Structure formats: C-alpha cells, structure tokens
Amino acid sequence: MPVRAVYKIRIVSRHTPLGAPPPAPILATPEELWLKARKKDIRPALNRAVGLGLFAGWLIIVQAWLLARVVAGVIIEHQTLGEVWVYLAAMLPIFALRFVLMRASENVAFEAAAQVRRDLRERLYAHLQTLGPLWLTRQSTGDLANNVVTGIDALEAYYARYLPNMSLTALVPLSILVFVLPQDWISGLVLLGTAPLIPIFMILIGKGTESLNQQQWQLLTRMSARFLDSLQGLTTLKLFGVSRHEAEVVAALTEDYRIGTMKVLRVAFLSSVVLEFLSTVSIAMVAVFIGFRLFYGEMAFFNGFFVLLLAPEFYLPLRNMGTFYHARMEAIGAAQGLLKLLDTPVPPHARATGGTQRIDGDAVQIRFDAVTVRHADDLPPALDGVSFTAPPRGLTALVGASGAGKSTALHALMALVQPQSGQILVNDIPLDALDLADWLRQVAWVPQRPHVFEGTVRDNIALGQPQVPQEEVERAARAAQAHDFIAALPQSYDTPLGERGLGLSGGQVQRLALARALLKPAPLVLLDEATAQLDAHTQLQVGDVILELAHQRCVILAAHRLSTVLRADHVVVLEAGKVVEQGTPADLLARGGAFAALVRAHEHAPAMSGEMA
C-alpha cells in the first residue's frame, strides 16, 4: 500500500463500526503523521535527549535558589563573603554541568535526526531503484535532487530540535511551577494562567504560515529543477539564441521565491514579536505582584527573588518553541515531496526481483520467445511478439529505424522492463527466475549515452572492479582505442574526471564505456549504438574488437553502423516493435527485403558517415 494511503485511512475515513466511539477530530496533516511515525525508530535517543535537557532544567532551579540565597544573605541578612562562599562555589560546577548536559542533549538529538535522514535516504534510494532507470530518465533531475538532498536535510531540525523541545516545553515549566507554588501561590497562578497564551498564539500564527511554507517549498523545487535543467542544457540554449530568455525565466522564479521568502519571514518575525511581548508582559506581571508585596512586607525577599529569577526560565522554553515551530512547518513542506516520491507506484513493466536461480558456467545463450513489452497501457507495444536466439558465442545485431524496439530489447535483457507476455530464456532458464544481482554480474553494457562518474580515468574503466591490475585496465583501453588519448591526459590513467566526463568529447566518453565493458569478465555484452559517436576510422577499429570479442562471448548490439552489421553472425530486423525478418547478412541481402532496403538507403546516403537510419 502506498505510504500516504495508510494515513489517508486514518484521516478521512468516516465509517465507524456500530457501538464504537466517534472518531476524534484530526488536526494533524498526513505529512505530519508520517513525520511522527518515524519517531519510533529513534524514540530511545529522543528520550535520552529529553532526559538530559530536563536534568539541565532542574539545575536552573538549583542555580536560581543558590543565587537567591547569596543575594538575600548579603543584602538582607548582611552576611559576609565568607558566610556565602559555599553557595557561590556550588554555582560554578552547576554552570559547567548545565553546559555539558545541554551539549549532550543536542548531540544525542542530532545523532537521532541523522539516523532518520540515513534511513530515509536508504529507503528512497531503494524505491528509486525499484522504479528503475527508465522511470528516472523521465523525471526532472533538479526536482529529484531537491527532494532527496535538500528535502531530507530539512527534516533535521524537526527531529533534532522541534520534537525534543516539545517535551521540554511541557516538562521544564511544570518542574519550575512545582517550586514556585510553595514559595508564592499568586505568582504561580499568574504563570499558570499566562503560559497557555503563548502556544495558543503560536498555533494561530503558525496555521497562517503553514500554507506559505508549503507553497515556498514547491516554488523552491520548481526553481531548483529549472535552474539545473538550464545549466545542463546551456549549450543548446546558446546555439538557439534563447539563453537570455531562459535567464529571465530563472530570474523571475528567483524573484517569486524572494517575495515568498519575505512573506514567510514577515509572519515569522510577527510571531516572534507576539511571543516575546506575551512573555515579557507575563514576567512584568509577576514582578509587579512581587514588588508590591515586598514593599508592604507581605513576602520574604528570598522567596520573591527566587520566584523572580525562575519566571524568565519558565517562559524560555515556550519562547524557544516559537522558533522551533517553524522547523516543523518547513519539515511538513519537505515531507510533501518525499511522500510523493515514496507513493509513486512501481510501473507495471518494472521487473520483480523474486528469482533465486543462478547461471552456471561462463557462456550464456539468449532466447526471446514471443516477448511483448508495453511501457504504458495506452501506447502501442515497444516489443510485439519478438522471437530470436543469440548463441553463446557470436555477434547478433538488432537493426531498424529509431523507435523500432532495439533499446527496449536490451533493457528487457537487463531486467529494466518486464515483458507483459512471452519470456526471455537464459540457457533455457526464464529470466524472471534468475537472481537479479547475480544476473547483472553476467552482463556488460555500453548505452547510447554512457555515464562517466566523478573520479579518475582508471576508476571509471575499472568500475566495480577496484582490485583489477593496471595492465588489464590498459589492455581494455587499448582494445577500445582509448589508450592514446588517455596517455595524453595530464596524469594519464590517474587524471581526475569531472561529472559526466567533463573535459572529454562524446567519442572519448564512449570509448571509456567500451573499455569498461571489455574489462568486465561477463559472458554477455550488450552494445547500444556503441560506435555512434566515433569517426569512421576509429569505428572500424572498434568494430574489429567487437568481432574478436564475439568469438569468446555472446554479443548483442543495437547496430547503426553498416560495416559492423554486415559482419554480424545473425541480424534481427525490427520494425514498430516486430521482427520483420532475421538471418545472416548474406541471406537477408539475397531476399531483397527490409534489410536490403536499409543497405540501399545507406549506399545512397554517403553523407551519413556510415550510419543507418
């Protein structure tokens, strides 16, 4: 069941069994209920943080008693310094102990908040993995990054400050009230009567800012997504001459965010002023009552001064709560985006990971048996009853126009999509029955747009194999025609690369990815337009490497290079997700069908640099 659905049942269900008491009014939002549900994992740590804070609060009472005793002794009883030095000396360790307890309380609370953030990130990462890379490619990178990074970070203050101080706001004033009432019941009644005004006004003001915070968070998400997308597509924007327009759009979003931030800050400052005013007036009332009774001799100085010292400390947790209440509202705004991600249903084509079988041996035979894949119910099938066999050793080429289903077939082999009908067999074992992690270890993959991670050249080639010898890394790079340009880099294989291969050309990135695939000892190699960004000479050299590799492994490639296709062992021609013909290149040319038409189209379009449509 989706995460949000659990709380919707609690909140909006109005159907109560006969004889059951009517449901209590629900004031909390689904986001806040979800935030509070995370407390159970860190409850012991939060209890320790509250306990340490409460102990520090009790020390405030002791500190006030000692100070009142010193002042009363010196001013009223005319005692000497020697007679009160014991009280003064006792105050020093109390100051130090209070400091230690408060720091310890904060550290415990922040560690608990860090645990929640770690657990949520792991849960989000696992859910995003379940949704799959294909789902991620259709999402806004900026939106995802804002939720997964900034959104989770925004929860820290909620768990580290708001929740512990919610308990301390009740416990510390009550503890102080226990000592104030015996000393001066009138001041105790003033404290008891005025204390509820602060949280009441805080809630009234907070209700007005809650929607503002949520709107502000949504605006921040939009602005982050737009800004990141603009940066990633800056080259395209420059080429089409719309970079200035995009800058104006980002500036307008930024201005909207500034205006929204000022609205929230105005309300926040208003709430601070109101809380400070209420607490100041309340303390003044206590001081006035104490002052008049001291003047008329109706109260002992020690009692009055002791109560007066405790009055500000009584309101301090309540005043602090106004600040921490804004952390709650920010967390609720962030929780909206997180819940939306966690509630995202797994696409129907996503692959279940319930298999347990493993592949034995170092060779695999792939067989597609009437495989049909739909990315959405209202769209035509990406693969429609596709059947073909790729031998354990040999080169199988999938050819066809863009959108014919070549990449989908490779995605299905990597279990990124789940067939709606038919099955994929690996050594006569259904792919669904295989252990997913073990199966992916048997696959090497070069996509259309390879990803280069931040790290050295060697790290990117030896991805997942950090202990592989340097000689093997260089051998794979030479085979992929990448060694020469790597050797020309400032630090050769130890040259650090930026995100997405910053500083490398598209062809160099593709050769790095090919070297990565060649280095991995996988019996199945999948190549999706692996030579599309290479020049004609380099692609011929790489084509020779692929053919040599096919003598030892099962190689399946989505082919756009005619020279590689004509040397394949088996060609599968796809059109609109269906296999229109298949066989050896010579047989298909002799038939004069779809494959022969592709060859003729290539021969009449020499400017296409060897690419097939």
Side-chain angles (χ1 to χ4, degrees), residues 55 143 207 273 292 362 392 451 468 511 564 567:
F55 193 16
D143 193 2
K207 287 299 180 183
V273 170
F292 275 111
D362 57 355
H451 190 90
V468 71
R511 279 178 277 174
T564 307
R567 293 190 287 175

Side-chain angles (χ1 to χ4, degrees), residues 183-252:
Q183 304 293 329
D184 181 17
W185 65 271
I186 295 178
S187 297
L189 289 179
V190 172
L191 297 178
L192 193 60
T194 57
L197 296 177
I198 294 179
I200 289 173
F201 276 91
M202 182 178 64
I203 292 173
L204 291 176
I205 296 173
K207 287 299 180 183
T209 59
E210 188 167 321
S211 60
L212 288 176
N213 271 276
Q214 293 175 0
Q215 293 172 11
Q216 193 70 352
W217 187 262
Q218 293 169 1
L219 185 57
L220 175 62
T221 301
R222 285 178 50 212
M223 184 177 67
S224 301
R226 187 65 179 253
F227 185 66
L228 182 58
D229 290 344
S230 299
L231 285 179
Q232 291 177 336
L234 187 57
T235 302
T236 304
L237 294 173
K238 282 285 188 182
L239 289 174
F240 283 88
V242 292
S243 57
R244 288 185 178 275
H245 172 72
E246 188 64 20
E248 292 172 358
V249 172
V250 173

